[in-house]
Amino acid sequence: MTQIIIVRYVYLKLFRKSIELLIFNKTEPYLITCANQLGFKRKHGTDMCVFTLKEIIRYYINHDSLMYVTFLNASQVFDHLNHIVLLRKLLSAGVPMYLLRLIAFWYCNQFYHVRWGNALSVSFTVSNGVRQVGVLSPICFNFYMNELSVRLISAPIGCCFAGIVINHLMYADDLVVFARLLRVFKHCLICA
């Protein structure tokens, strides 16, 4: 009996991954995010984000200039991402209605259990959050967080580096905000 349950679980997991990949491949062209978000993107990695930040800091150190920097972690957003807000953002981005319905069904019909030792709770639904291990979750998370990056970019203040004004970098749920002047730095934090 245990083998049947395990096999069924594996098939369900494969089916879920397949559906997520299908949705991911169909929605990705609609979910373009700002260049400052380097996480969960093809051909991007932490090395790009770290390198960029190090070069900006090195530039300001070499020019004996002050720079204000803060690091923020938005990992709680994964657990608290509002499904309705996400669906509205996807709709405004032009994601086809059939995919929106599929994503809405996907998120509205998630059931969870809590296991504590040998005890298993009754199932319950979750109205917020995305699975951190899901195929679709990272792209939805990026898209959900993109508005923050857009707001920061629209404030053309920060540090000038290689002729470009830049005030933040994002990698997944980590955000670094920086500026050369304290009042500008405070303004960036208010935008964030």
Side-chain angles (χ1 to χ4, degrees):
M1 183 66 164
T2 305
Q3 287 180 326
I4 293 170
I5 292 171
I6 291 171
V7 169
R8 184 175 142 220
Y9 175 76
V10 170
Y11 282 135
L12 285 172
K13 208 166 182 165
L14 284 171
F15 177 73
R16 183 175 59 87
K17 289 282 187 197
S18 300
I19 294 297
E20 280 189 327
L21 278 170
L22 172 73
I23 295 170
F24 175 82
N25 289 332
K26 295 285 185 182
T27 57
E28 190 180 28
Y30 298 97
L31 306 181
I32 296 168
T33 56
C34 295
N36 295 52
Q37 171 57 284
L38 300 169
F40 303 131
K41 287 184 173 180
R42 293 175 193 210
K43 299 181 182 175
H44 288 72
T46 54
D47 56 337
M48 292 175 73
C49 194
V50 170
F51 175 77
T52 304
L53 181 61
K54 283 174 72 175
E55 288 302 308
I56 292 169
I57 291 172
R58 185 181 332 230
Y59 175 83
Y60 278 88
I61 288 172
N62 290 342
H63 289 85
D64 292 326
S65 186
L66 285 176
M67 183 177 169
Y68 297 90
V69 180
T70 191
F71 293 87
L72 305 169
N73 184 292
S75 62
Q76 293 295 315
V77 176
F78 266 104
D79 298 328
H80 299 285
L81 185 144
N82 186 303
H83 296 158
I84 302 301
V85 173
L86 173 64
L87 291 169
R88 285 186 183 140
K89 288 181 180 210
L90 294 172
L91 178 66
S92 68
V95 172
M97 194 54 74
Y98 76 96
L99 288 172
L100 269 176
R101 286 189 191 111
L102 189 57
I103 293 168
F105 179 82
W106 192 266
Y107 283 124
C108 293
N109 291 287
Q110 295 183 96
F111 294 93
Y112 292 90
H113 298 277
V114 175
R115 181 179 304 276
W116 185 291
N118 291 332
L120 188 65
S121 74
V122 295
S123 65
F124 58 93
T125 60
V126 176
S127 59
N128 287 336
V130 292
R131 294 173 183 256
Q132 291 193 28
V133 295
V135 175
L136 188 59
S137 299
I139 195 168
C140 287
F141 178 83
N142 265 7
F143 191 70
Y144 191 86
M145 293 295 291
N146 192 55
E147 187 177 323
L148 171 61
S149 194
V150 168
R151 270 202 322 250
L152 285 165
I153 289 170
S154 69
I157 53 177
C159 294
C160 188
F161 180 71
I164 299 169
V165 175
I166 186 167
N167 57 20
H168 76 288
L169 292 170
M170 294 175 82
Y171 187 84
D173 59 356
D174 294 313
L175 168 68
V176 59
V177 179
F178 43 87
R180 203 173 63 76
L181 303 171
L182 184 58
R183 67 178 167 72
V184 171
F185 180 69
K186 287 179 181 177
H187 181 75
C188 287
L189 289 178
I190 290 168
C191 288

